[in-house]
Amino acid sequence: QAGPEGTVQLTSAGGQNHDGTPHQPAVFEATGLTGTHTGQTTAFSFAVDAGDDVGQAVQARVSYDLTGDGTWDRIETYGYFATDPVPGNETYTSQGRLAAEDGTLG
């Protein structure tokens, strides 16, 4: 069951480029899930807002422990999403952004 909606304040990268490498990430974990892989790819959609700040970006990484043994069986890193300096939400989605992958879904 999904938890309540909320807002997460991300930590600044201090002007450094960390593209492809999580830097002080916000981590969300879903546990106790079961299911059957249908062949579809990962899909997500996040609302992001940098306010009126210039030069901001977010990047997502999705990691799967398919066996429950504490090790990642599949890791997907998605291309960064450069935000605009206009207050209001923008939508960062997985569609067309897979930049790196390791392992297979199953």
Side-chain angles (χ1 to χ4, degrees):
Q1 183 175 4
E5 288 187 24
T7 301
V8 174
Q9 182 76 35
L10 299 175
T11 304
S12 170
Q16 301 296 311
N17 182 337
H18 296 280
D19 188 14
T21 305
H23 175 74
Q24 299 180 1
V27 177
F28 303 93
E29 186 174 333
T31 61
L33 304 175
T34 59
T36 302
H37 180 46
T38 62
Q40 295 178 315
T41 59
T42 301
F44 62 79
S45 177
F46 301 121
V48 297
D49 182 14
D52 58 4
D53 293 334
V54 176
Q56 304 299 311
V58 295
Q59 185 168 38
R61 175 173 282 172
V62 179
S63 303
Y64 294 93
D65 175 3
L66 301 173
T67 60
D69 66 358
T71 60
W72 301 126
D73 300 300
R74 168 83 172 169
I75 300 171
E76 301 172 347
T77 303
Y78 291 83
Y80 76 90
F81 178 74
T83 59
D84 67 27
V86 178
N89 288 339
E90 299 173 73
T91 305
Y92 174 39
T93 68
S94 55
Q95 186 175 3
R97 292 192 172 275
L98 185 60
E101 60 187 307
D102 185 35
T104 58
L105 286 172

